[in-house]
Amino acid sequence: HYAPYFQMLYEYMKWNLTNDLVRIRTSRRMIIGALHNLDFLLSLYLSVYMIDFVLNPEKEPEQLVIKGGKLMNLILVSTCRLFTKMLLHICDYFYTSYDAASPSTEILHTALMERYLNYDENSRKEVHSAFIGMGMMSDVPKLVGGYDTVIQGLQHLGKLFAMLIYQFSIPVILRRHFMWESMSITFFFPICSALFFYCRNGHTSHLLDMANKKFHSLAHQVQETVRCYRLIAEFKKRSLFITRIRESSQDNNNTRKAASLVVLNNNYYAMWLGRVSVGFYTLFGGIKVINGDLPLGLYLT
């Protein structure tokens, strides 16, 4: 029985949140992701401050937020960036040593083998040993990787929220008009991505499931051929089983290629959307810089 990947991932996520150890480590990952987003937000503010104030020859030292001259501002900003990077490095190091994936993978491996060992004889005959091996070595890492990808997606949403905070706050700080162009792009990008994901989810999930089935079928065919070698040799059926292996391999390659093309196009959709958005902002934002309506630092960040 093959469960749809996204449905299985959803149930797996719910199960992870019921496990105390996995839930605590996931919470730590979310907190560290929030720190990364705060560092990103700080870098935006510091970039504007450096370009439009510290490195701007038209600005006098008395106009700077931090008194003591432009050299002192350069030293303090550089030190601040080094300190925040060191803090994030320490946080990432400790999380990698105690990540959420390790206990979750361990529990899945143990539960899968425990379930198999507690089958009765008839049930154990219906489940091929190749499927157990593939589940342990292939399906479990993919499932855990999917959970990690969801956590990363939430972190990217937090980064998008940080960008919104920056775009709403920086005009107030600099006492300038809101840049509706950049704000519209920030809202436009996730909406288009969500609609695209909704439309492509069924097709992508179907092809990934088909590729997974064909991969398991090939593994099953290989193990059956090796296990029944003596019978195959005695009945002179080598050519028949070689043909079966070739056909299974072709089916596996074809479904994997189709799934890879769909995933490639899905990834390029985000790239194209980002490229078009950047081109739009570069054109209209650049015109405002030329006309003197937009500071260079605000444009570059």
Side-chain angles (χ1 to χ4, degrees):
H1 177 68
Y2 294 91
Y5 175 77
F6 289 106
Q7 178 183 347
M8 181 169 58
L9 178 61
Y10 173 71
E11 296 297 330
Y12 172 61
M13 290 179 61
K14 291 198 303 183
W15 173 81
N16 272 334
L17 296 179
T18 62
N19 183 277
D20 292 337
L21 181 59
V22 178
R23 185 177 63 254
I24 291 173
R25 293 190 177 184
T26 301
S27 301
R28 292 175 182 173
R29 171 67 180 275
M30 297 295 294
I31 293 173
I32 294 174
L35 292 177
H36 277 277
N37 292 332
L38 288 175
D39 177 69
F40 170 72
L41 182 61
L42 177 63
S43 69
L44 294 178
Y45 287 125
L46 290 179
S47 297
V48 173
Y49 178 67
M50 288 289 293
I51 296 173
D52 287 341
F53 291 89
V54 180
L55 301 179
N56 189 349
E58 298 179 358
K59 296 290 185 180
E60 298 296 332
E62 292 76 16
Q63 296 177 279
L64 301 179
V65 176
I66 304 174
K67 306 303 179 182
K70 293 190 174 183
L71 179 59
M72 179 59 66
N73 278 264
L74 286 172
I75 294 174
L76 290 177
V77 169
S78 301
T79 304
C80 178
R81 299 300 295 135
L82 290 174
F83 175 76
T84 56
K85 180 58 68 175
M86 180 181 66
L87 178 62
L88 292 176
H89 187 178
I90 294 173
C91 291
D92 287 336
Y93 179 84
F94 280 105
Y95 175 77
T96 304
S97 302
Y98 302 97
D99 63 328
S102 298
S104 183
T105 303
E106 178 183 340
I107 293 172
L108 284 176
H109 281 156
T110 305
L112 182 61
M113 187 53 62
E114 181 181 2
R115 183 66 177 269
Y116 178 75
L117 293 177
N118 283 282
Y119 279 160
D120 57 28
E121 191 63 29
N122 293 330
S123 299
R124 195 176 295 111
K125 289 179 180 179
E126 295 179 1
V127 179
H128 200 277
S129 57
F131 293 159
I132 302 299
M134 293 304 300
M136 296 281 283
M137 299 291 97
S138 177
D139 293 341
V140 169
K142 288 180 180 178
L143 195 58
V144 176
Y147 179 74
D148 188 64
T149 301
V150 172
I151 301 302
Q152 292 179 11
L154 294 176
Q155 182 175 342
H156 289 315
L157 287 177
K159 190 173 185 179
L160 179 64
F161 182 69
M163 292 176 62
L164 288 174
I165 293 176
Y166 165 77
Q167 290 175 354
F168 276 104
S169 62
I170 198 66
V172 177
I173 297 174
L174 298 180
R175 297 179 181 178
R176 293 182 176 271
H177 295 292
F178 286 99
M179 287 191 59
W180 299 110
E181 296 87 352
S182 59
M183 291 184 184
S184 61
I185 291 173
T186 306
F187 283 107
F188 175 76
F189 192 91
I191 293 174
C192 290
S193 299
L195 290 175
F196 180 81
F197 177 78
Y198 176 77
C199 295
R200 297 278 287 184
N201 178 34
H203 183 56
T204 304
S205 179
H206 171 70
L207 289 179
L208 290 175
D209 289 338
M210 287 298 299
N212 190 43
K213 290 179 181 179
K214 295 300 181 181
F215 181 69
H216 282 76
S217 178
L218 175 61
H220 173 72
Q221 186 64 48
V222 170
Q223 185 154 347
E224 282 296 303
T225 302
V226 173
R227 187 175 66 86
C228 302
Y229 167 74
R230 292 190 177 277
L231 290 176
I232 295 172
E234 291 176 359
F235 285 92
K236 299 180 180 180
K237 295 294 183 179
R238 292 186 179 90
S239 59
L240 173 63
F241 278 81
I242 291 174
T243 301
R244 288 182 178 178
I245 291 293
R246 183 184 299 111
E247 291 175 350
S248 296
S249 179
Q250 289 175 349
D251 291 340
N252 176 61
N253 289 334
N254 291 336
T255 54
R256 182 175 55 84
K257 185 186 300 181
S260 298
L261 289 175
V262 170
V263 172
L264 177 67
N265 289 332
N266 292 349
N267 293 334
Y268 261 95
Y269 171 79
M271 295 179 189
W272 274 110
L273 191 60
R275 186 63 59 88
V276 171
S277 301
V278 170
F280 173 81
Y281 175 76
T282 301
L283 175 61
F284 290 95
I287 293 175
K288 287 192 173 185
V289 173
I290 294 174
N291 294 334
D293 299 328
L294 181 65
L296 180 61
L298 186 58
Y299 170 72
L300 293 177
T301 55

